[in-house]
Amino acid sequence: MKITIREIYLVFLKVGIILLGGGYVILPLLSKELVEKRNWITKEDLVEFYSISQCLPGIIAANTAVFTGYKLKGKYGAAAAVAGMCTSPFLAIVCLATVLGQLTKVPLVVDIFWGVGIGILILLLLTVQEIWETSIVDKFTLFLFLIVFALTVFCTFSPVYSIIGAAFAGIIYKLIKRRVE
Amino acid sequence: MVCLLLFYEFFKVGLFSVGGGYATLPFLYHISEIYHWYSARELVDMLAVSSITPGPVGINVATFAGFKSAGLLGAFVSTFAIILPSFLLVILIYKLLNKFSENFYVQAVLYSIKPAGCALIAAVGVRLFHDYILRDISVFDIHRLTAFIDFKALFLLVGLLVLSIKVKKNPLLYLGISALFGILLHLKSLF
């Protein structure tokens, strides 16, 4: 079966249009489009790409798109996939951004945004819960969580330094642990 | 010049945000504090729009912030810059996939950056909670709690929280209900 760059772009364009509400829905969506409808990759591959994408830095949907595109057609496939996924959000946001200033003066829109903000708060909480379950596995990871949380809430500490610091702390901790064992 | 800065800042966001779309928020707050391209208030509005617009939230909000900072070109630069680290990193990982999962240092880093990413998202949660639920702390008075706590917001939050425990996680459900609640409050205020 020959898959063209154009086809990859179009499929991910479609995914970018349907994808609504963040990372949670990307896996079933891609599974339907790539595995069930087109049989381009196996379900196992997709699940593996998705789970690695969650651990890596970056937007999970974009990471998964690059993985899948690369598997299908190398770096051009990866570029087509990620470009396809970004096209519709880009256009939609650029259109909305030009009118956002006016929109936020409409009382109804202000109230809707207010409500949506609280919905987002719940989504943040669910995201934290989901990552917590797979990442806070022992005392050290709990300690890291608390340190970074305190630094970010109480100081204006750059999140970049938090992540770099955590990476080094992890390496040092694992090195010490390996030596002790 | 702004575009170079945008590229640099959003490349960092793409490289260091761990945990998906909402994980970009702490970085975007930090950017608003340093550069004043957009205010924290505008970021919350952008976030609301991004969540109810198709596409990954992280990409939407990056496009938005870029557009706010430097127009159409800014939107393009920030979107490209936030994606680029994913592109490079994933291809690198793909090539090393077999060795990748066994490498000691990679494992150590992945083991420790996720808790940090999780904490960063939780901290944004605290910030939003403060913005939405609590009003001015300086007016705190036990007898006038309504001046201090937004009870309508708290009611919605607790309602959604109970729902999230009972029902399967579907982001659209929460966003839909909360938008509807906003509309209802608006209608009530009209009469």
Side-chain angles (χ1 to χ4, degrees):
Chain A
M1 183 179 47
K2 195 108 173 72
I3 303 165
T4 63
I5 300 289
R6 191 165 159 268
E7 281 177 304
I8 296 176
Y9 177 82
L10 288 176
V11 168
F12 279 91
L13 179 71
K14 186 179 170 193
V15 171
I17 294 171
I18 314 173
L19 183 66
L20 192 60
Y24 287 113
V25 283
I26 181 90
L27 188 59
L29 207 60
L30 283 181
S31 171
K32 193 174 155 218
E33 292 296 325
L34 300 171
V35 181
E36 287 164 38
K37 278 194 190 169
R38 292 179 181 78
N39 213 4
W40 281 1
I41 57 172
T42 62
K43 178 97 184 176
E44 288 72 34
D45 275 347
L46 185 64
V47 170
E48 192 190 356
F49 292 158
Y50 180 71
S51 50
I52 301 173
S53 294
Q54 283 182 307
C55 301
L56 293 177
I59 291 148
I60 296 169
N63 290 347
T64 316
V66 176
F67 260 126
T68 320
Y70 193 79
K71 162 100 186 174
L72 291 173
K73 204 88 187 169
K75 54 180 185 287
Y76 297 110
V82 77
M85 183 172 268
C86 293
T87 303
S88 78
F90 183 83
L91 296 176
I93 292 296
V94 165
C95 293
L96 279 170
T98 45
V99 293
L100 184 69
Q102 274 81 50
L103 274 181
T104 49
K105 292 191 188 91
V106 181
L108 175 64
V109 175
V110 173
D111 285 337
I112 293 177
F113 280 8
W114 173 85
V116 168
I118 293 166
I120 290 170
L121 198 51
I122 292 289
L123 293 183
L124 277 181
L125 208 69
L126 292 176
T127 310
V128 169
Q129 186 197 7
E130 196 186 80
I131 304 178
W132 178 286
E133 280 166 4
T134 57
S135 69
I136 315 292
V137 286
D138 50 26
K139 276 182 191 147
F140 179 73
T141 43
L142 180 65
F143 170 74
L144 270 181
F145 177 93
L146 293 175
I147 292 275
V148 173
F149 183 74
L151 277 176
T152 318
V153 171
F154 299 111
C155 322
T156 337
F157 194 70
S158 168
V160 173
Y161 298 134
S162 295
I163 297 292
I164 295 176
F168 278 108
I171 290 174
I172 293 166
Y173 174 76
K174 286 279 184 184
L175 280 174
I176 293 172
K177 208 174 159 195
R178 189 166 69 172
R179 183 149 302 175
V180 170
E181 281 164 3
Chain B
M1 191 55 209
V2 175
C3 285
L4 273 180
L5 274 177
L6 267 179
F7 181 85
Y8 172 68
E9 285 300 331
F10 280 89
F11 188 84
K12 279 201 297 190
V13 178
L15 191 57
F16 291 110
S17 60
V18 185
Y22 289 123
T24 59
L25 288 178
F27 296 86
L28 297 177
Y29 269 118
H30 198 72
I31 289 174
S32 82
E33 278 153 14
I34 301 172
Y35 295 102
H36 309 290
W37 286 328
Y38 48 85
S39 66
R41 173 73 235 169
E42 283 173 317
L43 182 60
V44 176
D45 286 339
M46 289 193 258
L47 185 61
V49 176
S50 299
S51 300
I52 50 182
T53 319
V57 178
I59 292 174
N60 289 348
V61 93
T63 310
F64 226 134
F67 190 86
K68 265 277 176 207
S69 323
L72 197 58
L73 185 64
F76 183 80
V77 169
S78 58
T79 310
F80 180 70
I82 205 171
I83 292 301
L84 193 59
S86 288
F87 188 75
L88 301 174
L89 213 62
V90 167
I91 291 183
L92 184 75
I93 299 286
Y94 192 96
K95 288 187 170 164
L96 306 169
L97 202 58
N98 297 320
K99 288 174 249 165
F100 165 76
S101 43
E102 292 151 23
N103 184 284
F104 175 80
Y105 292 98
V106 171
Q107 280 200 332
V109 168
L110 290 183
Y111 160 80
S112 63
I113 58 174
K114 264 186 117 180
C118 188
L120 289 178
I121 302 176
V124 171
V126 170
R127 184 167 187 156
L128 282 182
F129 183 83
H130 180 262
D131 287 352
Y132 275 98
I133 313 289
L134 305 180
R135 290 172 177 159
D136 198 357
I137 293 195
S138 58
V139 300
F140 182 73
D141 177 354
I142 197 79
H143 302 296
R144 288 175 60 248
L145 271 180
T146 44
F148 173 61
I149 299 171
D150 186 341
F151 279 105
K152 284 183 296 233
L154 193 63
F155 174 75
L156 177 58
L157 184 70
V158 172
L160 288 176
L161 207 59
V162 171
L163 192 72
S164 77
I165 296 164
K166 303 217 158 165
V167 191
K168 201 168 147 249
K169 293 175 195 169
N170 185 346
L172 283 182
L173 181 71
Y174 305 118
L175 293 175
I177 291 174
S178 50
L180 202 66
F181 195 81
I183 295 172
L184 287 177
L185 272 186
H186 179 76
L187 292 177
K188 192 172 154 254
S189 71
L190 288 181
F191 299 110

